Amino acid sequence: MIPSFDDSRLNAIRAKVDAGERLNTEDGLLLYRTSDLLGVGWLANQVRERLHGNKTFFNVNRHVNPTDVCVANCKLCAYGKLTRDGKAFTLTHEQIYAKAGEGYSEAVTEFHMVGGLHPELTLDWYCEMLRGLKQRFPKVHLKAFTMVEIGYFAKRAKLSTREVLIRLKEAGLDSQPGGGAEIFSERVRRIICDHKLSGDEWIETARVSHSLGLHSNCTMLYGHIETEEDRVDHLLKLRALQDETKGFQTFIPLSFHPDNTEMEHIGRTTGFNDLREIAVSRLMLDNIPHIKSYWVMVTPQVAQIAQRFGADDVDGTLVEERIYHDAGATTSQNMRRKDLERLIREAGREPVERDTLYRPVVRNENENAPVESAFTVLV
Ligand code: V47
């Protein structure tokens, strides 16, 4: 069925999408500027169904944050704290293992681990943490450290990012999450995250990571002071790197949460724009396999509708989430596996549990059997 678009300019984009032709900057700007959201969503859904049919992916994961101490002091962030504020935390290795195991059962397939830029923790400390986790949870995939953390470890250890990544990989690092990319525009970065890696350095670190055989995700922070041009430019830079490395698995558009940040005066993003971001990224990022609508961030309701606007993933069970809750998220911090499945099914999609590398997870009854842990209650 070919729709009659409210905005007839979308016909030219439909012709390109049908022909599998790459979209350019002007196309991206039109997709951002038209008010025909249903038209943009319809186009993105064509691409999404071509790639994944009716499947929507989710995983059974647990977030573990070793510390929230961070010297970057980004205006956009409510999570990072300075030690001197007296509100920060840093877990010991034993506390990290205990937290990772809190509620641990065979059900968990991934630990998602990010912290801050801690001025005292050493690269050896992080390597030991990874080794300790692998020893205790050998089957769990360790997806850890943003490109920004890697850059900081390298600076502190006076090593190249390659050497840092090699050591972390040897210690048990399996892949990397997509955070810290924010928006690549240097003009905007100077305002929202002055002391972070530059956009070019983020890209270069991802290039090195992929060259070592690590997969990673990628993100874009939207809904603050960036322009539509900045967003298109960011997507095109990710697409160019993906042409080169093929190392990105999933793109996650991150909606800015202003509470408790220095940019509190900026309102929250709206459902309309959250859905548009999903759809535009699906259309522009023709070489990145998956688009995730992160339920804890946009709400389960929007993540569900997003499955008809280009997304094919909702993220996972999480268990505990801090970054968005420190910045005012009102969603729950965790979701049971059966509730994720229901959310997906009610969007008319087929839920597929995946591991971090998108291999289907097949469960036997034993794995779902209750053991004495809080986590099993969740899954
Ligand atoms: O790196 C920080 C961003 C990221 C705020 O790879 C903020 O599977 C909005 O990257 N408002 C962490 N965003 C989250 C992240 C992520 C989440 C889920 C899955 C994956 C994945 C990655 O959140 C940070 C930063 O870019 N962030 N503060 C804020 N106030």
Side-chain angles (χ1 to χ4, degrees):
M1 186 198 73
I2 296 176
S4 146
F5 294 117
D6 285 349
D7 183 342
S8 59
R9 293 173 301 171
L10 292 180
N11 282 315
I13 297 196
R14 196 195 75 227
K16 282 188 169 184
V17 168
D18 285 350
E21 223 177 279
R22 193 156 255 200
L23 303 188
N24 61 25
T25 301
E26 285 66 43
D27 299 326
L29 289 174
L30 169 58
L31 293 169
Y32 275 129
R33 287 174 182 161
T34 176
S35 56
D36 187 0
L37 176 65
L38 288 181
V40 176
W42 184 89
L43 288 166
N45 195 48
Q46 300 303 299
V47 177
R48 180 251 194 254
E49 291 189 354
R50 207 186 285 158
L51 288 169
H52 305 293
N54 208 30
K55 294 183 177 124
T56 285
F57 300 93
F58 70 98
N59 74 346
V60 178
N61 61 351
R62 192 195 206 294
H63 283 204
V64 183
N65 303 111
T67 181
D68 65 356
V69 171
C70 188
V71 294
N73 204 14
C74 299
K75 279 198 174 58
L76 71 94
C77 182
Y79 174 75
K81 318 270 183 320
L82 295 173
T83 317
R84 65 167 180 265
D85 292 348
K87 289 187 192 148
F89 74 88
T90 300
L91 304 181
T92 63
H93 284 150
E94 286 311 320
Q95 287 170 327
I96 290 167
Y97 307 146
K99 180 156 292 282
E102 242 168 52
Y104 172 78
S105 79
E106 283 295 282
V108 189
T109 61
E110 170 190 286
F111 292 144
H112 169 119
M113 305 184 71
V114 291
L117 309 186
H118 194 300
E120 281 152 31
L121 299 181
T122 62
L123 180 59
D124 284 345
W125 187 92
Y126 285 105
C127 287
E128 202 185 318
M129 176 189 86
L130 293 175
R131 272 188 221 100
L133 284 166
K134 272 287 172 212
Q135 207 176 17
R136 289 163 179 80
F137 309 102
K139 288 191 190 166
V140 179
H141 181 109
L142 302 182
K143 183 180 85 180
F145 311 127
T146 64
M147 302 306 162
V148 176
E149 288 170 281
I150 299 298
Y152 188 67
F153 298 165
K155 191 169 149 195
R156 289 226 331 115
K158 299 193 171 48
L159 293 170
S160 66
T161 50
R162 174 170 292 273
E163 185 56 31
V164 167
L165 283 161
I166 288 171
R167 290 193 195 185
L168 291 168
K169 200 175 167 209
E170 277 167 5
L173 179 67
D174 292 309
S175 73
Q176 290 186 254
E182 319 311 0
I183 192 97
F184 293 141
S185 152
E186 288 310 319
R187 177 189 60 80
V188 178
R189 268 182 120 73
R190 268 199 296 280
I191 299 167
I192 67 168
C193 57
D194 198 12
H195 305 295
K196 259 190 186 156
L197 289 189
S198 68
D200 286 348
E201 287 167 332
W202 191 98
I203 290 275
E204 182 52 29
T205 310
R207 180 180 281 119
V208 174
S209 169
H210 298 171
S211 77
L212 294 171
L214 289 165
H215 283 96
S216 78
N217 292 336
C218 52
T219 56
M220 176 177 77
L221 184 73
Y222 67 93
H224 42 94
I225 56 164
E226 86 289 359
T227 62
E228 285 141 1
E229 284 85 354
D230 293 332
R231 277 184 245 151
V232 173
D233 171 71
H234 186 99
L235 296 176
L236 295 189
K237 285 191 167 129
L238 291 174
R239 188 171 82 180
L241 183 65
Q242 181 72 345
D243 276 344
E244 218 182 295
T245 68
K246 306 200 172 28
F248 291 129
Q249 302 202 101
T250 310
F251 173 76
I252 311 127
L254 299 175
S255 72
F256 178 56
H257 280 47
D259 292 8
N260 306 315
T261 73
E262 285 183 49
M263 302 200 298
E264 240 176 0
H265 57 285
I266 295 174
R268 290 200 176 201
T269 64
T270 59
F272 196 93
N273 285 341
D274 292 337
L275 287 173
R276 185 204 294 273
E277 254 348 293
I278 290 287
V280 177
S281 55
R282 180 61 290 163
L283 288 164
M284 297 303 290
L285 299 176
D286 53 17
N287 53 3
I288 297 188
H290 302 281
I291 304 289
K292 185 188 286 186
S293 184
Y294 184 33
W295 68 262
V296 84
M297 178 189 69
V298 290
T299 75
Q301 289 84 346
V302 172
Q304 183 186 42
I305 299 167
Q307 300 310 311
R308 296 269 157 195
F309 280 76
D312 63 279
D313 195 312
V314 292
D315 205 83
T317 47
L318 307 187
V319 184
E320 193 179 328
E321 199 287 327
R322 301 190 78 123
I323 295 176
Y324 285 87
H325 285 83
D326 282 359
T330 53
T331 46
S332 160
Q333 292 207 21
N334 52 58
M335 190 90 92
R336 296 169 191 207
R337 198 176 61 191
K338 66 176 171 44
D339 291 333
L340 283 172
E341 285 178 340
R342 179 176 155 222
L343 194 81
I344 295 165
R345 248 189 223 110
E346 288 191 0
R349 298 298 191 195
E350 175 202 346
V352 176
E353 185 185 338
R354 59 162 178 91
D355 67 8
T356 312
L357 302 175
Y358 284 83
R359 294 171 301 210
V361 172
V362 182
R363 290 183 178 270
N364 57 38
E365 272 186 33
N366 198 27
E367 274 197 295
N368 294 325
V371 294
E372 305 228 343
S373 70
F375 189 70
T376 309
V377 176
L378 275 172
V379 297

